[in-house]
Amino acid sequence: MRKSGDHTVWRRSGGHSEDYEDARRAFLLGRMVYERRRALGLSQVELAERAEMTQPQLSRLEGGGVTPTIPLLERLATALEVDLVIDFAPRVAA
């Protein structure tokens, strides 16, 4: 941020794109959990109980506000009746 006359000028620094990608991944993961929960007809309370977590924790995860640990992802996968797949794939050239 810098001043230009009477106005403040905001500039992006290089670190924001990494933060954006982290937030995007958390949001997409939360959306997957939400969609699968709804497909199973589960409430947040029901899924939270199945996954051994609290409803507020699940709400934050579905909203993209947290990055879950691998053990939590494993519990969620079991609770959502899906396989957890973690993969390393070669990058596609742009």
Side-chain angles (χ1 to χ4, degrees), residues 16 31 92:
H16 290 287
R31 188 72 186 174
V92 178

Side-chain angles (χ1 to χ4, degrees), residues 4 7 10 20 26 30 32 34 40 44 55 63 75 85 87-88:
S4 174
H7 302 283
W10 293 90
Y20 173 81
M32 286 188 287
Y34 168 81
L40 291 173
Q44 283 188 341
Q55 181 275 327
R75 292 195 319 267
V85 178
D87 189 15
F88 288 97

Side-chain angles (χ1 to χ4, degrees), residues 23-42:
R24 186 183 69 81
R25 283 189 292 271
F27 172 79
L28 292 174
L29 177 65
R31 188 72 186 174
M32 286 188 287
V33 170
Y34 168 81
E35 289 175 359
R36 179 62 181 162
R37 176 178 64 78
R38 299 284 298 191
L40 291 173
L42 297 172

Side-chain angles (χ1 to χ4, degrees), residues 7-22:
H7 302 283
T8 300
V9 178
W10 293 90
R11 303 255 185 233
R12 254 187 206 196
S13 66
H16 290 287
S17 61
E18 185 176 323
D19 292 340
Y20 173 81
E21 282 304 310
D22 289 345

